[in-house]
Amino acid sequence: MIHQGEYIRDILRGEVGKTVHAHGWVKTRRDSKGVSFVQLNDGSSFQDLQVVIEEGALPEEAMKQTTTGACVRVTGELVASPAAGQAVELKAKEILVYGGADPATYPLQKKGHTMEFLRDIAHLRTRSNTFGAVFRVRNALAHAIHNFYRERGFVYVHTPIITASDCEGAGAMFGVTTLDMMNLPRNDSGAVDYSKDFFGKPAYLTVSGQLNVEIFALSFTNVYTFGPTFRAENSNTPRHLSEFWMIEPEMAFCDLEGDMELAEAFLKYIIKYVMEACPDDLEFFNKRIDNTVLATLSQVVENNFEHVTYTEAIRLLEKSNRTWEFPVFWGADMQSEHERYLTEEVFKKPVIVTDYPKEIKAFYMRANDDGKTVRAMDVLAPRIGEIIGGSQREERYDVLLDKIRKQELNEEAYWWYLELRKYGSAPHAGFGLGFERVMLYLTGMKNIRDVIPFPRTPGSADF
Ligand code: ATP
Ligand code: MN
């Protein structure tokens, strides 16, 4: 037996009179005089297939089991539907119950569940309207990303998930070890002897693929990586996950201007793609989750992004006469309240902030001639703040080495990164985009835990 791709999505567009087999899970069942209505969904579309069962048409035993949550196959004939919003419905002739769902205990009842409750039943929440829509959008977004880069000739690179070079500096890392915690090998000074560990040295889960992807940019010109990254920060916010997905393009022969052009074209492309691929799902988010979603998305697609330097942005924040939770001064890292003020109130559209103080940005960002700032850019978006962080990379060997030394980083660990500047260096630039941050943007969902199938956050790694 194999499901031949007769998805409910396609059945809904079928011709009246056609005989079809529909497979799916019962969302709801309503009995009225002489007839039962069953809403069937197989995840292929937001819209359910309405199955109409006339009294006595199907065996009683099967009808008893056809309750919310049950999985069934219905064979029948497509007939014109008198109900609004659907051209056809399925008049049942035969039903096969693959698996029942005891109505007394099935946790996903009709509606009114909180997001928190649904998170606790992540094995079933995927069958709800909301999470059906979320994960169809997530799928479309992943396709959009690959299409965008493929159309531009970028090479897709798989960067490693386990890394033994503690040199990314983007955030706290998870250790990876096979050492016996109850019986750790120690060296003479009492420290853990990692030479006895699996890789012969400390290893971690990656926080970013950037340094690796730079290697590929300096061979294949335009490349990107799209994979999971891990941060062991204890930041329990609606915007942070311990495991999240990141898209990181890297381009040789490219400066910060080119980087910003790509970032803007990229965001517009993926938003437009998902708007075209998932209109019903976005309509649902706009109606039930956040009624500004569609308007903001169109606004992003239709307007040019604003550009402002960090120095100018700080001036705007200082001028605002607001009381900030986090103080504003030249040299301060911008917090979410500042980012949102700039995009939501000053510019009312996405803003790219450039040329940050070197002290608050990573060592690999290209130094500006002023000696104070670096060629960094962050894209800030209304509603969520920072969505992209990028930079032109320091391609000058001496300048980079000097920075590594001044910041007292482990020079040896960066040997290959430095050699890229010694042998055939080139100007290059790139950025990182948090996949789930875009998901928040597209769906209007409030919590990042609800746009990834199985969220991992401090204290929580269920399913
Ligand atoms: P933030 O200030 O929001 O913590 P960051 O400065 O740590 O972000 P980067 O290291 O620049 O972020 O990572 C690149 C992108 O990855 C960010 O712009 C954001 O979209 C996303 N991102 C960063 N940390 C997380 C996280 N913990 N969970 C989900 N997405 C994240
Ligand atoms: Mn962070």
Side-chain angles (χ1 to χ4, degrees), residues 122-195:
H123 60 308
L124 296 171
R125 70 172 181 174
T126 40
R127 296 186 200 165
S128 67
N129 283 335
T130 304
F131 288 92
V134 164
F135 295 122
R136 273 187 301 275
V137 165
R138 193 176 163 107
N139 169 60
L141 181 60
H143 284 289
I145 287 159
H146 287 299
N147 280 2
F148 175 84
Y149 289 112
R150 200 173 47 195
E151 280 176 16
R152 281 168 178 70
F154 282 56
V155 170
Y156 175 34
V157 185
H158 299 116
T159 49
I161 288 170
I162 295 175
T163 165
S165 57
D166 170 24
C167 59
E168 283 146 338
M173 301 176 98
F174 288 101
V176 176
T177 181
T178 53
L179 291 178
D180 177 0
M181 291 296 144
M182 301 302 286
N183 190 15
L184 289 170
R186 306 264 174 194
N187 57 28
D188 295 344
S189 56
V192 174
D193 181 4
Y194 281 102
S195 70

Side-chain angles (χ1 to χ4, degrees), residues 274-346:
V274 172
M275 286 175 92
E276 278 162 24
C278 306
D280 293 353
D281 296 316
L282 293 188
E283 193 66 53
F284 166 80
F285 291 122
N286 201 59
K287 213 155 92 192
R288 301 293 292 276
I289 304 291
D290 180 341
N291 61 17
T292 65
V293 162
L294 286 179
T296 354
L297 293 178
S298 314
Q299 204 191 16
V300 172
V301 171
E302 284 154 21
N303 288 289
N304 291 330
F305 292 10
E306 197 67 42
H307 291 247
V308 63
T309 63
Y310 168 89
T311 303
E312 181 58 25
I314 291 294
R315 209 173 292 141
L316 290 167
L317 293 170
E318 281 171 341
K319 270 200 337 216
S320 72
N321 289 324
R322 290 222 168 183
T323 31
W324 302 108
E325 192 187 335
F326 296 92
V328 169
F329 55 93
W330 199 97
D333 208 351
M334 265 192 254
Q335 303 294 326
S336 176
E337 56 173 338
H338 311 131
E339 297 173 344
R340 294 191 59 170
Y341 173 77
L342 290 172
T343 58
E344 287 167 23
E345 299 188 36
V346 181

